Amino acid sequence: MTTYDPRTATGIPTEPVGSMPRPEKLQQAYAAYDEGKIDKAALEVEQEAAVDDTLARYEATGAPIISDGEQRWSSFATYPITDTLAGTGLAPSLGPGGQFFAIFADGHGRQLPKLVKGPFEYVNYAADSLKKSIPKATTPMKQAVIAPSMLALLYPLRDPVDGYSREDFEAKLIDECEKDIRLAFDAGAARVSVDFTEGRLATREDPRNPWTGAGLLPHFIELINGVMARFTAEERTRIGIHTCPGGDRDSVHSADVPYNNLLPEMFKINAGYFLIQLASEREKDPVYESIGRHLRTDADGVTQMAYLGVINPGNPRVESAAEVADRLVRAADFIDRQQIGSTDDCGFSPFSIDEKPNHGSPDFAREVAFQKITNRVAGTRMAAERLGVS
C-alpha cells in the first residue's frame, strides 16, 4: 500500500472519481473490434495511446492524485466481466439479456448480462490495468472498483439459477470485490474507491426497471459492508465509496430522487471516505446539512471524510477556481472542515462508448475535463487557505 497524504498538496484533500472520456479514435477502435474489423492487439494500441495522453494531461493539471481514466475498460460496472460493452470477452458464467442497470433521463438504458450458471468469477481485475499505468505516471494514482451491489444485479431478480444459489453467488461477489481492492493496493494504488451509483437509484420505483422497486438498498449496504469487514480500520481510511445519480451521454438516472432517501443509510457503510455528487444538485444546503448530520466520527474505528462534488462532468461549462472554493467554504457551515474533501460529481465518461452530446464530441469533452480538474485543484487550495485547513 503506497504512502500518500491527501492533505500535503492542497490542504483540503481532492481526488477524482475515475473515468475520462475516451478519444473518438479509441471509441471507433472499440466498435471495430466488436465488428471483427481489427484484432485485440490493434485495440490495445489505441488504449495505450489514450492512457499515455490521459496521464500526461492529468499530471499537467497539478492534481495530487490521478487515474488512468479507465481507458482500457468497457465501463466502470462491467470491466470485471467483459472486454467490451457489446459483450466480447464475456465471462463464461454469463449470458445476454439481463436486467437494465439504469434507464437514463434522456430515455436510453444500459443493460447488464445475466448469470446463467455457476460458479461466478471475475475475468478481469482493476489492477490488470493499473499495473500497466503506474510505471508511466510520476503522480500517485487511485483506482476505482465496482461495488458487489452492482454486480448482484447479474443474478435474475426472481428466477433462481439452477445449481447456484443467490447466497453462494453473493458470497463470491464479496470475495471478488475484496480481491479487486487488495490487488489494486498491491499494484501501488494510493487510494481505492468503490463505485456505488446504484445506491440512489435503489430508492426510486421505476416500473420500467423492476429491481429499483424491490427495496434493495439495505441489502446493497450489507454487501458492501461485507467487503469492508475484510479490511482493517487503517486500510479503510484509504477505501472510499462513490455515489452519484449516474452519468452517461451527459444524462443521469436518479437526480430526481431525494438525496435523503440514500444518505442516512449510505453512511452506515464502514468506509473511510465518500465521493458525493453535489455540483449538479439543485438544492445544495439540505445535502450539506444531511452529510454533516450523518457523517460518522467512528465508523468501526474510522473517522469518515466527505469528498464533495464541485465539478459537473455533464455540463461543458468550466467551473472557476473561485466557484469551487465558494462551494467548499459554504459546505463548511454544515460539515466539520476537517472532514471535507473535494471531487468531481461522477466519472467524466463511465462507459467506453459515449458520444458526450452536450459537449459536441468526446475529444472536446476531454479538453473540458482537464480544464475542470485544473480548477478543482486550484479552487480546493483556495478554500483550504480561507478555512485555515492544512
Side-chain angles (χ1 to χ4, degrees):
M1 190 178 292
T2 301
T3 300
Y4 168 71
D5 182 349
R7 293 191 184 276
T8 299
T10 51
I12 291 173
T14 191
E15 178 176 318
V17 171
S19 66
M20 296 294 289
R22 282 72 166 176
E24 188 166 353
K25 190 176 181 183
L26 175 56
Q27 296 197 29
Q28 291 170 350
Y30 272 110
Y33 177 58
D34 281 324
E35 293 167 7
K37 295 179 179 178
I38 63 172
D39 61 14
K40 192 169 185 179
L43 172 63
E44 289 172 347
V45 168
E46 296 303 330
Q47 288 174 327
E48 294 312 305
V51 168
D52 290 347
D53 181 69
T54 299
L55 293 174
R57 295 172 72 179
Y58 234 132
E59 292 190 331
T61 67
I65 187 168
I66 65 174
S67 81
D68 64 13
E70 302 173 8
Q71 305 294 288
R72 302 184 187 93
W73 288 4
S74 56
S75 79
F76 78 105
T78 57
Y79 72 87
I81 57 174
T82 187
D83 291 338
T84 73
L85 288 172
T88 304
L90 189 65
S93 59
L94 303 176
Q99 301 181 82
F100 277 89
F101 146 56
I103 299 173
F104 289 79
D106 65 0
H108 86 276
R110 290 290 190 178
Q111 190 175 19
L112 292 167
K114 66 179 178 182
L115 190 74
V116 294
K117 62 181 180 180
F120 172 79
E121 290 183 335
Y122 285 14
V123 293
N124 305 299
Y125 293 90
D128 297 341
S129 177
L130 183 65
K131 284 185 290 188
K132 298 176 184 177
S133 298
I134 278 187
K136 301 181 178 187
T138 60
T139 303
M141 294 191 68
K142 72 158 290 184
Q143 183 60 61
V145 303
I146 192 57
S149 45
M150 169 66 80
L151 296 183
L153 298 175
L154 296 172
Y155 202 100
L157 186 61
R158 297 185 179 87
D159 300 323
V161 174
D162 188 36
Y164 199 51
S165 70
R166 186 183 299 275
E167 292 73 20
D168 287 343
F169 168 65
E170 291 184 348
K172 185 63 174 178
L173 283 182
I174 291 172
D175 289 345
E176 291 286 65
C177 187
E178 178 196 3
K179 182 177 179 180
D180 211 15
I181 294 170
R182 291 199 184 279
L183 287 175
F185 281 134
D186 289 346
R191 315 267 281 180
V192 175
S193 63
V194 179
D195 284 326
F196 185 44
T197 184
E198 66 278 12
R200 193 167 178 178
L201 187 56
T203 69
R204 82 177 310 165
E205 295 190 19
D206 186 342
R208 301 169 300 172
N209 202 11
W211 77 262
T212 64
L216 291 175
L217 181 60
H219 185 54
F220 283 176
I221 290 172
E222 180 182 33
L223 288 173
I224 298 173
N225 266 337
V227 175
M228 295 299 115
R230 306 282 182 88
F231 294 89
T232 67
E234 193 280 331
E235 288 171 326
R236 283 183 286 112
T237 64
R238 301 166 186 257
I239 301 174
I241 302 294
H242 166 56
T243 181
C244 73
D248 185 33
R249 297 175 180 167
D250 294 329
S251 187
V252 295
H253 56 57
S254 54
D256 57 330
V257 177
Y259 229 154
N260 272 333
N261 288 6
L262 170 66
L263 293 177
E265 299 302 311
M266 184 183 72
F267 290 117
K268 294 178 182 178
I269 298 172
N270 293 321
Y273 68 102
F274 295 81
L275 303 161
I276 305 169
Q277 167 266 339
L278 253 163
S280 55
E281 199 69 16
R282 291 179 180 176
E283 298 293 333
K284 295 178 177 58
D285 282 5
V287 182
Y288 294 148
E289 190 277 332
S290 182
I291 292 169
R293 184 152 40 94
H294 294 104
L295 196 66
R296 290 188 288 162
T297 56
D298 185 3
D300 193 19
V302 175
T303 297
Q304 294 177 331
M305 294 283 297
Y307 283 57
L308 309 175
V310 292
I311 296 296
N312 179 3
N315 188 331
R317 183 185 74 83
V318 178
E319 298 86 349
S320 68
E323 187 177 354
V324 168
D326 287 345
R327 288 175 175 175
L328 294 170
V329 170
R330 177 60 178 171
D333 289 340
F334 302 88
I335 307 165
D336 185 329
R337 64 191 62 189
Q338 296 295 335
Q339 290 178 268
I340 289 175
S342 74
T343 188
D344 313 308
D345 272 8
C346 188
F348 282 87
S349 201
F351 294 86
S352 58
I353 304 295
D354 181 354
E355 301 84 357
K356 299 296 288 183
N358 288 354
H359 294 73
S361 77
D363 291 339
F364 179 67
R366 281 174 69 82
E367 299 286 342
V368 168
F370 290 114
Q371 293 175 38
K372 285 174 175 268
I373 291 166
T374 299
N375 288 358
R376 165 166 57 78
V377 174
T380 301
R381 190 176 289 113
M382 289 169 57
E385 292 170 356
R386 288 168 60 182
L387 291 170
V389 177
S390 60

